[in-house]
Amino acid sequence: KKMFPIVTFIPLYGTTEDEPLCYILQIDQFFFLLNCGWDDAMDVSLLEPIKKYVPLIDAILITHPDIPHLGALPYVIGKMGVKAPIYCTLPVCKMGQMFMYEAWIARSNSSNFSTFSLDDVDLVYENMEKHQLKYSQHRKLTDKGLGITITPYCAGHMLGGAFWKIQKESDEIVFAVDFNHRNERHLNRTVLETINSRPRVLITDSEHSADPITKTIRDAQFFDAIMNCLMSGGNVLLPTGTAGRSLELLLCLDQYWEANNITKFSLCFVTYQAFHTLKFARSQLEWMSDSITKDFDTSRSNPFSLKHFQICQSKEELEMVPGPKVALISPSSLETGISREIFIKWANNPLNLVILTQKTPQNTLSSLLLKKKQESQNSSFIITLQVHEKRKLEGTELQR
C-alpha cells in the first residue's frame, strides 16, 4: 500500500489582504519557511509566530525580492538565529539586497534605527548567493530533506519572481503567490498554467486575478494624467519600490518620452540604490521578456540604458533638476525615505500630482491618501503627519 507524505501548512501571517507573507510547510519531518515578509512598520511583534519554529526550519523558499516577501530575513537570520539555507533566483537575491539596503538607509537617515544592521543584510545575501537557482532547475535536498526536490518557475510580476514546485516521491506541492498572467514590457507572464502537474496541494492567492480595465485603457489614463499635470506646470510623484515594479515603470515612461519626442519635461529615478538597480537590470536581460531579448539581439541596444531619465540619490539632487518633472521615488508606501520627504515638500501645491502605481500597504501614508481621496469625493483634504528628522546637536544642545 502506497504511503503518502504527511503535509501540514501553517500560515504564520499573510492570510488577509495587504499583509506580508510568511508560512510554514511541513512535509513529514522537514520544515520549509515559505517567504519571510515584513511590513513598512518593521515591528518585531509581527514576527512572534516565527519564534517557535526557529530551531525547526530546515529551508527557506523566497518568491519575490520586495519587503512583503523577504523583508524580515535580516532580523530572522541575524537576530533570531535561523541557520537554514535560503533558496531563490539570482535576480531575487540581488534585487532583494537592494530593497533591504534602501530600507535600512531610509530609516537610519531619520532615526536611530537598530532593528537590524547592514551586517545582518549581508549575512542573508551571503546565504542566498550559495543557493541560487535558475528557472526549471531542480535541487535535490539532502539529510532530513532526502527525497525532496524543489524547483522554481517563472511567476512574472517582478524580475526573477518565482513560484515553487516541491516534490517528494510522486507527491507535488505548488506554492504560487503574486504571479502575473499577463506579458509586460520587461517580463514574460507566469508559466503556472503550462507546467504538466496536478499537485496534491496548491498554495496560492488571488492577488492579481481581477483587473477592471484593460492595459491599453490603463496606460492611456496614466499618460493623460501625467501630461495634463506637467503642462499645467506641476510635478508628478510616482511612489515606487527600489527595484521590482519600478523597472516596468522606468521602461514604460522612457519609451513614451522617446516615442513622443518629449524634451521640455524631465524624468527622474530617485532612490538610494538607483545606480545599482539599473546596472543590475542591464545585466539580467536573459530573465526578462522574449521581446526584450529579441530586440537586444537585433539592435544590441539595452532597454535599461535609459535615454530620458536622470538618476538621483537624494532629495537635494532631485531639487536641482529643472521642472516640471516626473519623479519615480522609493518607497511606494511614502512612510520613510526620499518619497516621504518629497511628498511633504510638494503636497501643498495643488498643481502637483501623486499617482499610486501599485497596491498601497495597510497603515501607511499611501493607504491614507487613497482612503482620504475616496472619502473626499475628489475635493481637497487635510492630513496631519509626524516628521522625523535626524540632525547633529550643536553648542549648548550638547550639554543637555
Side-chain angles (χ1 to χ4, degrees):
K1 183 178 178 180
K2 181 178 177 180
M3 297 293 291
F4 290 102
I6 299 173
V7 177
T8 305
F9 177 68
I10 304 167
L12 302 182
Y13 48 87
T15 58
T16 61
E17 190 175 18
D18 299 333
E19 273 192 327
L21 311 181
C22 188
Y23 315 106
I24 289 289
L25 175 68
Q26 181 183 355
I27 304 176
D28 292 333
Q29 299 305 310
F30 193 90
F31 286 79
F32 286 102
L33 186 67
L34 304 179
N35 282 330
C36 190
W38 217 348
D39 56 18
D40 281 85
M42 293 193 168
D43 183 350
V44 297
S45 64
L46 179 67
L47 312 183
E48 279 294 317
I50 301 176
K51 284 186 176 179
K52 65 181 288 188
Y53 294 99
V54 166
L56 300 175
I57 295 169
D58 298 299
I60 302 172
L61 304 184
I62 301 296
T63 58
H64 296 285
D66 59 343
I67 289 174
H69 296 90
L70 57 66
L73 280 176
Y75 188 86
V76 168
I77 300 295
K79 307 303 184 190
M80 288 187 177
V82 172
K83 304 297 184 184
I86 307 168
Y87 295 95
C88 63
T89 65
L90 169 63
V92 166
C93 174
K94 294 301 292 184
M95 291 297 192
Q97 187 177 26
M98 292 173 205
F99 264 105
M100 296 315 302
Y101 279 166
E102 185 90 8
W104 186 89
I105 294 169
R107 284 158 179 79
S108 297
N109 282 352
S110 60
S111 65
N112 294 318
F113 182 74
S114 59
T115 306
F116 62 84
S117 67
L118 288 182
D119 287 340
D120 295 326
V121 176
D122 289 340
L123 197 63
V124 168
Y125 295 100
E126 288 169 9
N127 182 326
M128 281 182 156
E129 284 178 340
K130 298 173 184 175
H131 304 103
Q132 296 169 7
L133 296 176
K134 298 177 181 178
Y135 287 146
S136 303
Q137 180 182 350
H138 305 302
R139 175 62 57 86
K140 293 182 178 181
L141 304 184
T142 57
D143 300 327
K144 280 178 65 180
L146 193 65
I148 297 176
T149 301
I150 58 173
T151 312
Y153 293 92
C154 175
H157 185 55
M158 290 189 184
L159 184 64
F163 69 88
W164 289 89
K165 183 164 75 172
I166 305 156
Q167 185 167 358
K168 184 167 186 181
E169 299 169 358
S170 60
D171 267 14
E172 292 182 353
I173 300 161
V174 171
F175 175 53
V177 293
D178 288 328
F179 52 87
N180 194 342
H181 283 296
R182 292 182 175 181
N183 286 321
E184 298 185 278
R185 287 173 179 82
H186 82 296
L187 293 178
N188 288 328
R189 64 188 179 190
T190 183
V191 298
L192 180 59
E193 67 241 36
T194 67
I195 62 168
N196 185 22
S197 175
R198 297 190 65 178
R200 180 182 171 198
V201 179
L202 173 63
I203 304 164
T204 190
D205 61 11
S206 57
E207 183 72 16
H208 303 287
S209 61
D211 193 342
I213 59 174
T214 66
K215 182 175 180 295
T216 303
I217 295 174
R218 182 192 65 198
D219 286 357
Q221 292 176 346
F222 178 65
F223 290 123
D224 284 349
I226 288 174
M227 296 310 297
N228 288 338
C229 175
L230 294 174
M231 288 187 288
S232 298
N235 297 314
V236 182
L237 168 59
L238 302 177
T240 187
T242 309
R245 298 301 303 162
S246 62
L247 298 181
E248 181 76 4
L249 287 170
L250 289 166
L251 210 55
C252 168
L253 286 163
D254 200 64
Q255 291 175 352
Y256 185 84
W257 251 239
E258 179 71 11
N260 293 277
N261 195 28
I262 299 172
T263 57
K264 62 179 180 178
F265 304 128
S266 302
L267 290 175
C268 304
F269 182 38
V270 193
T271 80
Y272 299 115
Q273 297 293 311
F275 285 105
H276 298 294
T277 297
L278 290 175
K279 181 179 179 181
F280 181 73
R282 287 192 289 268
S283 70
Q284 297 301 306
L285 300 188
E286 71 270 23
W287 291 87
M288 297 187 188
S289 65
D290 295 339
S291 60
I292 279 188
T293 53
K294 183 178 179 181
D295 288 347
F296 180 74
D297 290 341
T298 303
S299 66
R300 310 310 292 177
S301 175
N302 194 306
F304 286 97
S305 297
L306 303 171
K307 297 179 181 180
H308 299 276
F309 269 91
Q310 298 190 50
I311 308 305
C312 306
Q313 294 182 286
S314 67
K315 179 183 72 172
E316 291 72 25
E317 289 183 15
L318 175 63
E319 290 173 342
M320 293 173 64
V321 177
K325 54 200 168 194
V326 180
L328 276 72
I329 315 181
S330 173
S332 61
S333 66
L334 296 170
E335 278 296 288
T336 59
I338 307 173
S339 67
R340 188 179 181 91
E341 294 176 7
I342 293 300
F343 172 78
I344 292 169
K345 186 174 180 64
W346 288 2
N348 286 329
N349 186 345
L351 295 178
N352 293 335
L353 174 67
V354 179
I355 300 179
L356 302 175
T357 60
Q358 57 195 78
K359 209 162 188 181
T360 57
Q362 60 183 342
N363 302 318
T364 61
L365 175 54
S366 60
S367 65
L368 175 62
L369 290 178
L370 186 60
K371 180 183 177 183
K372 291 286 189 181
K373 174 72 172 177
Q374 293 166 342
E375 292 174 349
S376 68
Q377 298 180 339
N378 292 326
S379 61
S380 60
F381 55 86
I382 296 174
I383 58 174
T384 303
L385 297 177
Q386 286 187 348
V387 178
H388 299 276
E389 186 178 45
K390 188 177 177 181
R391 62 183 181 87
K392 291 182 178 180
L393 299 177
E394 297 178 351
T396 57
E397 292 177 319
L398 293 172
Q399 300 172 5
R400 293 177 185 173

